[in-house]
Amino acid sequence: MRFSGLRHPAELGPGEVRRFLSHLAEAERLSAASQNQAASALGFLYEHVLGQRLARGAFGGVVRAKEPMGLPVVLTRAEVQRVLAELRGVNRLVVLLLYGSGLRLLEALALRVKDGECVRGEIRVRGGKGGGSRVTMFAAVAV
């Protein structure tokens, strides 16, 4: 309301909404996540509180906050070999499955013996991310 000169939100249109969201990215320098949260809050305000539908293009043309570009941290082969050389037993097996089979940590920790098929080189991952099941390769070094 302050941004729009203390006008009630019901009086504002899609243009004012776009200008406000662009202002958040440019002048306020909010993160992309904060700008998205503000857009969601405005959508909720208009639809569920004020009982108005914003026009289809209300969020189109908004200057978007920049997502930070982070580089993934990737170990070299030598670094991986040094880490593996320090591990023994179950810990080593879990890390081999994470690294060689592409399992997520909780997927590897929840594996049962019957989930691995050594002959076919497959691991059945049950209840992974999103609740689905999938089949992945069984890392030869972990067999």
Short mmCIF file of all heavy atoms in Angstrom, two decimals, residues 54-103:
data_model
loop_
_atom_site.label_atom_id
_atom_site.label_comp_id
_atom_site.label_asym_id
_atom_site.label_seq_id
_atom_site.Cartn_x
_atom_site.Cartn_y
_atom_site.Cartn_z
N LEU A 54 -6.74 -11.35 -10.67
CA LEU A 54 -5.83 -10.47 -11.40
C LEU A 54 -5.87 -10.86 -12.87
O LEU A 54 -6.03 -12.03 -13.20
CB LEU A 54 -4.40 -10.60 -10.87
CG LEU A 54 -4.11 -9.89 -9.56
CD1 LEU A 54 -2.71 -10.24 -9.08
CD2 LEU A 54 -4.22 -8.38 -9.72
N ALA A 55 -5.72 -9.89 -13.73
CA ALA A 55 -5.71 -10.17 -15.17
C ALA A 55 -4.61 -11.16 -15.49
O ALA A 55 -3.60 -11.25 -14.79
CB ALA A 55 -5.52 -8.87 -15.94
N ARG A 56 -4.78 -11.90 -16.56
CA ARG A 56 -3.82 -12.94 -16.94
C ARG A 56 -2.38 -12.43 -16.99
O ARG A 56 -1.46 -13.10 -16.59
CB ARG A 56 -4.17 -13.53 -18.29
CG ARG A 56 -5.26 -14.54 -18.22
CD ARG A 56 -5.32 -15.33 -19.53
NE ARG A 56 -6.12 -16.53 -19.32
CZ ARG A 56 -5.59 -17.70 -19.02
NH1 ARG A 56 -4.31 -17.85 -18.93
NH2 ARG A 56 -6.37 -18.74 -18.83
N GLY A 57 -2.16 -11.24 -17.48
CA GLY A 57 -0.81 -10.73 -17.64
C GLY A 57 -0.29 -9.96 -16.45
O GLY A 57 0.68 -9.23 -16.57
N ALA A 58 -0.91 -10.12 -15.29
CA ALA A 58 -0.52 -9.33 -14.11
C ALA A 58 0.94 -9.55 -13.72
O ALA A 58 1.59 -8.64 -13.24
CB ALA A 58 -1.43 -9.65 -12.93
N PHE A 59 1.45 -10.75 -13.90
CA PHE A 59 2.82 -11.03 -13.51
C PHE A 59 3.75 -11.10 -14.71
O PHE A 59 4.94 -11.34 -14.56
CB PHE A 59 2.90 -12.33 -12.70
CG PHE A 59 2.09 -12.27 -11.42
CD1 PHE A 59 1.04 -13.14 -11.21
CD2 PHE A 59 2.38 -11.33 -10.46
CE1 PHE A 59 0.30 -13.08 -10.04
CE2 PHE A 59 1.65 -11.26 -9.29
CZ PHE A 59 0.60 -12.14 -9.08
N GLY A 60 3.23 -10.90 -15.91
CA GLY A 60 4.06 -10.90 -17.11
C GLY A 60 4.82 -9.59 -17.24
O GLY A 60 4.33 -8.53 -16.88
N GLY A 61 6.02 -9.64 -17.74
CA GLY A 61 6.81 -8.45 -17.94
C GLY A 61 7.46 -7.91 -16.68
O GLY A 61 8.00 -6.81 -16.68
N VAL A 62 7.40 -8.66 -15.61
CA VAL A 62 8.01 -8.23 -14.34
C VAL A 62 9.52 -8.42 -14.44
O VAL A 62 9.98 -9.46 -14.92
CB VAL A 62 7.44 -9.04 -13.15
CG1 VAL A 62 8.19 -8.74 -11.88
CG2 VAL A 62 5.97 -8.77 -12.99
N VAL A 63 10.28 -7.43 -13.99
CA VAL A 63 11.73 -7.59 -13.92
C VAL A 63 12.00 -8.60 -12.82
O VAL A 63 11.59 -8.44 -11.68
CB VAL A 63 12.43 -6.25 -13.59
CG1 VAL A 63 13.92 -6.46 -13.38
CG2 VAL A 63 12.17 -5.24 -14.68
N ARG A 64 12.66 -9.70 -13.19
CA ARG A 64 12.90 -10.78 -12.24
C ARG A 64 14.22 -10.60 -11.53
O ARG A 64 15.20 -10.14 -12.12
CB ARG A 64 12.90 -12.15 -12.95
CG ARG A 64 11.65 -12.44 -13.79
CD ARG A 64 10.38 -12.36 -13.01
NE ARG A 64 10.33 -13.40 -12.00
CZ ARG A 64 9.30 -13.60 -11.20
NH1 ARG A 64 8.24 -12.84 -11.29
NH2 ARG A 64 9.31 -14.55 -10.31
N ALA A 65 14.25 -10.94 -10.26
CA ALA A 65 15.49 -10.92 -9.49
C ALA A 65 16.42 -11.98 -10.05
O ALA A 65 15.98 -13.02 -10.54
CB ALA A 65 15.20 -11.18 -8.02
N LYS A 66 17.69 -11.73 -10.00
CA LYS A 66 18.67 -12.66 -10.55
C LYS A 66 18.90 -13.82 -9.58
O LYS A 66 19.13 -13.62 -8.40
CB LYS A 66 19.99 -11.93 -10.79
CG LYS A 66 19.89 -10.78 -11.77
CD LYS A 66 20.48 -11.17 -13.09
CE LYS A 66 20.57 -10.03 -14.07
NZ LYS A 66 19.32 -9.56 -14.55
N GLU A 67 18.83 -15.01 -10.12
CA GLU A 67 19.16 -16.21 -9.33
C GLU A 67 20.68 -16.30 -9.25
O GLU A 67 21.37 -16.17 -10.26
CB GLU A 67 18.62 -17.47 -10.02
CG GLU A 67 17.13 -17.56 -10.08
CD GLU A 67 16.54 -18.25 -8.86
OE1 GLU A 67 17.30 -18.77 -8.03
OE2 GLU A 67 15.31 -18.23 -8.75
N PRO A 68 21.23 -16.52 -8.06
CA PRO A 68 22.69 -16.64 -7.97
C PRO A 68 23.16 -17.90 -8.69
O PRO A 68 22.53 -18.95 -8.59
CB PRO A 68 22.96 -16.73 -6.46
CG PRO A 68 21.67 -17.18 -5.87
CD PRO A 68 20.58 -16.69 -6.78
N MET A 69 24.22 -17.75 -9.44
CA MET A 69 24.77 -18.90 -10.16
C MET A 69 25.88 -19.51 -9.32
O MET A 69 26.98 -18.96 -9.22
CB MET A 69 25.35 -18.46 -11.51
CG MET A 69 24.29 -18.14 -12.56
SD MET A 69 23.31 -19.57 -13.01
CE MET A 69 24.54 -20.54 -13.83
N GLY A 70 25.57 -20.61 -8.67
CA GLY A 70 26.57 -21.30 -7.88
C GLY A 70 27.17 -22.44 -8.68
O GLY A 70 26.46 -23.13 -9.40
N LEU A 71 28.44 -22.59 -8.58
CA LEU A 71 29.09 -23.70 -9.27
C LEU A 71 29.01 -24.94 -8.39
O LEU A 71 29.23 -24.86 -7.19
CB LEU A 71 30.55 -23.36 -9.55
CG LEU A 71 30.79 -22.23 -10.56
CD1 LEU A 71 32.29 -21.94 -10.65
CD2 LEU A 71 30.25 -22.63 -11.91
N PRO A 72 28.69 -26.07 -8.99
CA PRO A 72 28.64 -27.29 -8.18
C PRO A 72 30.04 -27.68 -7.71
O PRO A 72 31.04 -27.45 -8.41
CB PRO A 72 28.09 -28.34 -9.16
CG PRO A 72 28.39 -27.80 -10.51
CD PRO A 72 28.40 -26.30 -10.39
N VAL A 73 30.11 -28.24 -6.52
CA VAL A 73 31.38 -28.70 -5.99
C VAL A 73 31.56 -30.14 -6.45
O VAL A 73 30.75 -31.01 -6.13
CB VAL A 73 31.40 -28.62 -4.45
CG1 VAL A 73 32.70 -29.18 -3.90
CG2 VAL A 73 31.19 -27.19 -4.01
N VAL A 74 32.59 -30.37 -7.22
CA VAL A 74 32.85 -31.69 -7.77
C VAL A 74 34.26 -32.09 -7.38
O VAL A 74 35.21 -31.33 -7.58
CB VAL A 74 32.71 -31.70 -9.31
CG1 VAL A 74 32.99 -33.08 -9.87
CG2 VAL A 74 31.33 -31.22 -9.72
N LEU A 75 34.37 -33.27 -6.81
CA LEU A 75 35.69 -33.78 -6.43
C LEU A 75 36.39 -34.37 -7.65
O LEU A 75 35.74 -34.97 -8.52
CB LEU A 75 35.56 -34.85 -5.35
CG LEU A 75 34.93 -34.42 -4.02
CD1 LEU A 75 34.79 -35.63 -3.10
CD2 LEU A 75 35.73 -33.34 -3.36
N THR A 76 37.70 -34.23 -7.69
CA THR A 76 38.46 -34.89 -8.76
C THR A 76 38.53 -36.38 -8.45
O THR A 76 38.24 -36.82 -7.33
CB THR A 76 39.89 -34.32 -8.83
OG1 THR A 76 40.58 -34.66 -7.62
CG2 THR A 76 39.88 -32.81 -9.03
N ARG A 77 38.93 -37.17 -9.43
CA ARG A 77 39.06 -38.62 -9.21
C ARG A 77 40.04 -38.91 -8.08
O ARG A 77 39.80 -39.79 -7.25
CB ARG A 77 39.51 -39.31 -10.49
CG ARG A 77 38.44 -39.49 -11.49
CD ARG A 77 38.93 -40.27 -12.67
NE ARG A 77 37.81 -40.53 -13.55
CZ ARG A 77 37.77 -41.50 -14.43
NH1 ARG A 77 38.80 -42.31 -14.56
NH2 ARG A 77 36.70 -41.67 -15.18
N ALA A 78 41.13 -38.17 -8.05
CA ALA A 78 42.15 -38.39 -7.00
C ALA A 78 41.56 -38.08 -5.62
O ALA A 78 41.83 -38.80 -4.65
CB ALA A 78 43.38 -37.53 -7.27
N GLU A 79 40.77 -37.02 -5.52
CA GLU A 79 40.15 -36.67 -4.24
C GLU A 79 39.16 -37.75 -3.81
O GLU A 79 39.11 -38.12 -2.63
CB GLU A 79 39.46 -35.31 -4.34
CG GLU A 79 40.42 -34.15 -4.48
CD GLU A 79 39.74 -32.84 -4.84
OE1 GLU A 79 38.68 -32.86 -5.50
OE2 GLU A 79 40.28 -31.78 -4.45
N VAL A 80 38.38 -38.27 -4.74
CA VAL A 80 37.43 -39.34 -4.42
C VAL A 80 38.19 -40.57 -3.94
O VAL A 80 37.80 -41.20 -2.95
CB VAL A 80 36.55 -39.67 -5.64
CG1 VAL A 80 35.73 -40.93 -5.39
CG2 VAL A 80 35.65 -38.50 -5.99
N GLN A 81 39.27 -40.91 -4.61
CA GLN A 81 40.05 -42.08 -4.20
C GLN A 81 40.64 -41.90 -2.81
O GLN A 81 40.68 -42.85 -2.02
CB GLN A 81 41.16 -42.36 -5.22
CG GLN A 81 40.61 -42.90 -6.54
CD GLN A 81 41.66 -42.99 -7.63
OE1 GLN A 81 42.74 -42.42 -7.53
NE2 GLN A 81 41.32 -43.70 -8.69
N ARG A 82 41.07 -40.68 -2.48
CA ARG A 82 41.61 -40.43 -1.13
C ARG A 82 40.52 -40.56 -0.07
O ARG A 82 40.76 -41.09 1.02
CB ARG A 82 42.25 -39.04 -1.07
CG ARG A 82 43.62 -38.99 -1.73
CD ARG A 82 44.44 -37.80 -1.27
NE ARG A 82 43.74 -36.54 -1.44
CZ ARG A 82 43.95 -35.67 -2.44
NH1 ARG A 82 44.85 -35.93 -3.35
NH2 ARG A 82 43.27 -34.54 -2.50
N VAL A 83 39.31 -40.08 -0.37
CA VAL A 83 38.20 -40.21 0.58
C VAL A 83 37.86 -41.69 0.77
O VAL A 83 37.71 -42.17 1.90
CB VAL A 83 36.96 -39.42 0.11
CG1 VAL A 83 35.73 -39.78 0.93
CG2 VAL A 83 37.23 -37.92 0.17
N LEU A 84 37.73 -42.43 -0.33
CA LEU A 84 37.38 -43.85 -0.25
C LEU A 84 38.45 -44.66 0.48
O LEU A 84 38.12 -45.63 1.18
CB LEU A 84 37.15 -44.42 -1.65
CG LEU A 84 35.87 -43.97 -2.34
CD1 LEU A 84 35.84 -44.44 -3.79
CD2 LEU A 84 34.65 -44.46 -1.58
N ALA A 85 39.70 -44.27 0.36
CA ALA A 85 40.79 -45.00 1.02
C ALA A 85 40.68 -44.90 2.54
O ALA A 85 41.18 -45.77 3.26
CB ALA A 85 42.14 -44.45 0.55
N GLU A 86 40.02 -43.87 3.04
CA GLU A 86 39.89 -43.67 4.48
C GLU A 86 38.65 -44.36 5.06
O GLU A 86 38.49 -44.41 6.28
CB GLU A 86 39.81 -42.17 4.80
CG GLU A 86 41.05 -41.40 4.41
CD GLU A 86 42.30 -41.86 5.16
OE1 GLU A 86 42.18 -42.16 6.36
OE2 GLU A 86 43.37 -41.94 4.52
N LEU A 87 37.77 -44.88 4.22
CA LEU A 87 36.51 -45.45 4.69
C LEU A 87 36.58 -46.97 4.76
O LEU A 87 37.25 -47.60 3.94
CB LEU A 87 35.36 -45.03 3.77
CG LEU A 87 35.07 -43.53 3.72
CD1 LEU A 87 34.04 -43.23 2.64
CD2 LEU A 87 34.60 -43.03 5.06
N ARG A 88 35.83 -47.53 5.70
CA ARG A 88 35.77 -48.99 5.87
C ARG A 88 34.33 -49.40 6.11
O ARG A 88 33.50 -48.62 6.59
CB ARG A 88 36.60 -49.44 7.09
CG ARG A 88 38.06 -49.05 7.05
CD ARG A 88 38.86 -49.99 6.13
NE ARG A 88 40.25 -49.60 6.09
CZ ARG A 88 40.79 -48.79 5.19
NH1 ARG A 88 40.04 -48.24 4.27
NH2 ARG A 88 42.07 -48.51 5.21
N GLY A 89 34.02 -50.64 5.81
CA GLY A 89 32.74 -51.25 6.16
C GLY A 89 31.53 -50.60 5.53
O GLY A 89 31.53 -50.25 4.35
N VAL A 90 30.48 -50.43 6.35
CA VAL A 90 29.20 -49.90 5.87
C VAL A 90 29.36 -48.49 5.33
O VAL A 90 28.77 -48.13 4.31
CB VAL A 90 28.14 -49.95 7.01
CG1 VAL A 90 26.86 -49.27 6.58
CG2 VAL A 90 27.88 -51.38 7.43
N ASN A 91 30.19 -47.68 6.01
CA ASN A 91 30.39 -46.31 5.55
C ASN A 91 30.96 -46.28 4.13
O ASN A 91 30.53 -45.49 3.29
CB ASN A 91 31.32 -45.54 6.49
CG ASN A 91 30.69 -45.30 7.84
OD1 ASN A 91 29.48 -45.31 7.98
ND2 ASN A 91 31.52 -45.11 8.85
N ARG A 92 31.91 -47.15 3.85
CA ARG A 92 32.50 -47.23 2.51
C ARG A 92 31.45 -47.66 1.48
O ARG A 92 31.36 -47.09 0.40
CB ARG A 92 33.68 -48.19 2.51
CG ARG A 92 34.34 -48.33 1.15
CD ARG A 92 35.52 -49.31 1.22
NE ARG A 92 36.05 -49.61 -0.08
CZ ARG A 92 36.94 -48.87 -0.71
NH1 ARG A 92 37.42 -47.78 -0.15
NH2 ARG A 92 37.38 -49.22 -1.91
N LEU A 93 30.65 -48.65 1.84
CA LEU A 93 29.61 -49.13 0.92
C LEU A 93 28.61 -48.03 0.60
O LEU A 93 28.24 -47.83 -0.56
CB LEU A 93 28.90 -50.35 1.51
CG LEU A 93 27.76 -50.92 0.67
CD1 LEU A 93 28.26 -51.36 -0.71
CD2 LEU A 93 27.09 -52.07 1.40
N VAL A 94 28.18 -47.29 1.60
CA VAL A 94 27.21 -46.21 1.39
C VAL A 94 27.81 -45.16 0.45
O VAL A 94 27.17 -44.71 -0.50
CB VAL A 94 26.77 -45.57 2.73
CG1 VAL A 94 25.98 -44.29 2.49
CG2 VAL A 94 25.94 -46.56 3.53
N VAL A 95 29.06 -44.76 0.68
CA VAL A 95 29.69 -43.75 -0.17
C VAL A 95 29.87 -44.28 -1.58
O VAL A 95 29.66 -43.56 -2.56
CB VAL A 95 31.04 -43.28 0.44
CG1 VAL A 95 31.79 -42.40 -0.54
CG2 VAL A 95 30.79 -42.54 1.74
N LEU A 96 30.22 -45.55 -1.74
CA LEU A 96 30.33 -46.13 -3.08
C LEU A 96 28.98 -46.09 -3.81
O LEU A 96 28.93 -45.82 -5.01
CB LEU A 96 30.84 -47.58 -3.00
CG LEU A 96 32.32 -47.75 -2.66
CD1 LEU A 96 32.63 -49.22 -2.41
CD2 LEU A 96 33.18 -47.20 -3.77
N LEU A 97 27.90 -46.35 -3.09
CA LEU A 97 26.57 -46.29 -3.71
C LEU A 97 26.18 -44.85 -4.06
O LEU A 97 25.59 -44.60 -5.11
CB LEU A 97 25.53 -46.91 -2.78
CG LEU A 97 25.63 -48.42 -2.62
CD1 LEU A 97 24.71 -48.91 -1.51
CD2 LEU A 97 25.33 -49.13 -3.92
N LEU A 98 26.52 -43.91 -3.19
CA LEU A 98 26.23 -42.51 -3.48
C LEU A 98 26.99 -42.06 -4.73
O LEU A 98 26.43 -41.45 -5.63
CB LEU A 98 26.63 -41.61 -2.31
CG LEU A 98 25.88 -41.78 -0.99
CD1 LEU A 98 26.49 -40.88 0.08
CD2 LEU A 98 24.42 -41.49 -1.16
N TYR A 99 28.27 -42.37 -4.77
CA TYR A 99 29.13 -41.89 -5.84
C TYR A 99 28.93 -42.70 -7.13
O TYR A 99 28.81 -42.13 -8.20
CB TYR A 99 30.59 -41.97 -5.39
CG TYR A 99 31.56 -41.44 -6.42
CD1 TYR A 99 31.65 -40.09 -6.68
CD2 TYR A 99 32.37 -42.31 -7.13
CE1 TYR A 99 32.53 -39.61 -7.63
CE2 TYR A 99 33.25 -41.84 -8.09
CZ TYR A 99 33.33 -40.48 -8.34
OH TYR A 99 34.19 -40.01 -9.28
N GLY A 100 28.88 -44.02 -7.01
CA GLY A 100 28.86 -44.86 -8.20
C GLY A 100 27.49 -45.16 -8.76
O GLY A 100 27.35 -45.45 -9.95
N SER A 101 26.46 -45.12 -7.93
CA SER A 101 25.11 -45.46 -8.40
C SER A 101 24.18 -44.26 -8.46
O SER A 101 23.04 -44.39 -8.87
CB SER A 101 24.50 -46.53 -7.49
OG SER A 101 25.27 -47.70 -7.54
N GLY A 102 24.65 -43.12 -8.01
CA GLY A 102 23.83 -41.92 -8.08
C GLY A 102 22.68 -41.89 -7.10
O GLY A 102 21.67 -41.23 -7.33
N LEU A 103 22.82 -42.61 -5.98
CA LEU A 103 21.76 -42.61 -4.98
C LEU A 103 21.85 -41.37 -4.11
O LEU A 103 22.92 -40.82 -3.88
CB LEU A 103 21.87 -43.85 -4.09
CG LEU A 103 21.67 -45.20 -4.76
CD1 LEU A 103 21.78 -46.31 -3.72
CD2 LEU A 103 20.34 -45.28 -5.45
#
